[in-house]
Amino acid sequence: VSSTTSSTETALNDPQSPQSMALNWLSIDAYSSTVSDNRKLQRFALATLSYEILNTDTDRRSRNLAADTWLLEQEDECSWTGLFCDTQKRITILNLAQRGLPGKLSPELSLLKDSLQIFDVTKNALTGSIPVEFGQLTLLRVFRVADNNLSGNIPPSFAQLQNLMHLNVHRNNLSGPFPNYVLSQMASLSQARLYYNYFSDSVSQEVCDRGLRVFEVDCALNATCASICF
């Protein structure tokens, strides 16, 4: 697999990692052998997420998604649950909201950077951090990861998401300084929901001057410009 991230290359050294399992699946999947290299990368990225879910979900509550719908041989990934494609078979929407999914967000999803516009995994049981590689998803218009158990910060690389309009990260365990710089750089941002997290410091005047249509944060951040605080 070429064009992968450095974290992917490290993970491939572990034969039990989701990345290694995804690569093995790709090598034996008959349908994958018939598609372009770009489609192979796309299928690898999605398979990594699927194995991340299966590896974590010990009682297989998510089997309906990952085992029975995804990764079926001779199956076009555009027909997989929660995925929508353009006319060139490139994933434009990934919507796996409200499925009780465990596991972590796979950095390999950044391989969808040439097409992904909507990413929604709201109301699941996801843990870990938001991958810094997601800053490469520059076509994103909607990023929704609310109501999970994500930790860490909002990566500074998100400042590159110039097309992002909706940022929903509320009801997680995110922490660190409030992402003033990131929000001030998102040229298209109109809605940002960041409440019920553990950010420190306060909202900057630069962010307030953006005049976001919806801006919801924790009251402790002293954001006088918030639409509502919690």
Side-chain angles (χ1 to χ4, degrees):
V1 178
S2 59
S3 304
T4 52
T5 67
S6 58
S7 60
T8 300
E9 294 174 6
T10 300
L12 288 174
N13 292 323
D14 176 5
Q16 299 303 314
S17 71
Q19 291 82 358
S20 290
M21 296 173 73
L23 185 59
N24 181 63
W25 168 80
L26 192 71
S27 69
I28 63 176
D29 174 55
Y31 184 84
S32 294
S33 67
T34 68
V35 301
S36 67
D37 287 345
N38 286 338
R39 287 279 302 281
K40 286 184 175 71
L41 279 175
Q42 177 169 269
R43 288 170 72 81
F44 170 73
L46 297 168
T48 300
L49 175 62
S50 183
Y51 280 114
E52 175 65 55
I53 292 167
L54 279 177
N55 281 1
T56 306
D57 191 15
T58 54
D59 63 6
R60 294 299 187 265
R61 287 170 302 172
S62 307
R63 197 172 188 81
N64 179 53
L65 163 75
D68 294 341
T69 310
W70 287 28
L71 309 187
L72 296 177
E73 285 195 27
Q74 303 296 332
E75 193 73 39
D76 184 340
E77 66 271 24
C78 294
S79 68
W80 295 357
T81 299
L83 302 180
F84 300 86
C85 296
D86 61 16
T87 57
Q88 299 179 58
K89 299 287 189 179
R90 300 181 304 181
I91 304 297
T92 57
I93 299 174
L94 190 158
N95 185 351
L96 297 176
Q98 301 186 56
R99 294 182 178 276
L101 303 179
K104 299 179 181 179
L105 296 174
S106 303
E108 289 72 24
L109 291 175
S110 64
L111 294 171
L112 307 180
K113 61 187 177 183
D114 292 330
S115 60
L116 191 63
Q117 299 177 35
I118 297 175
F119 182 80
D120 191 346
V121 292
T122 304
K123 291 187 178 180
N124 283 294
L126 299 169
T127 58
S129 60
I130 300 173
V132 63
E133 291 86 355
F134 278 19
Q136 299 174 32
L137 296 168
T138 54
L139 296 182
L140 271 184
R141 294 185 288 110
V142 176
F143 183 75
R144 295 178 177 141
V145 297
D147 290 281
N148 280 286
N149 297 305
L150 299 173
S151 56
N153 62 5
I154 295 179
S157 61
F158 268 42
Q160 303 173 67
L161 303 183
Q162 294 298 297
N163 292 303
L164 194 69
M165 301 172 66
H166 296 180
L167 176 68
N168 291 8
V169 299
H170 51 287
R171 296 182 185 274
N172 276 289
N173 296 309
L174 300 175
S175 59
F178 188 78
N180 285 305
Y181 174 74
V182 169
L183 297 184
S184 67
Q185 296 300 304
M186 291 177 168
S188 302
L189 192 65
S190 64
Q191 296 185 24
R193 294 182 168 93
L194 301 99
Y195 59 90
Y196 293 159
N197 281 295
Y198 299 95
F199 295 118
S200 58
D201 300 332
S202 58
V203 176
S204 70
Q205 186 58 47
E206 189 174 11
V207 171
C208 284
D209 290 343
R210 290 293 313 277
L212 299 178
R213 185 165 64 85
V214 175
F215 185 42
E216 299 175 355
V217 297
D218 291 301
C219 296
L221 296 171
N222 299 317
T224 57
C225 57
S227 307
I228 187 171
C229 71
F230 294 82

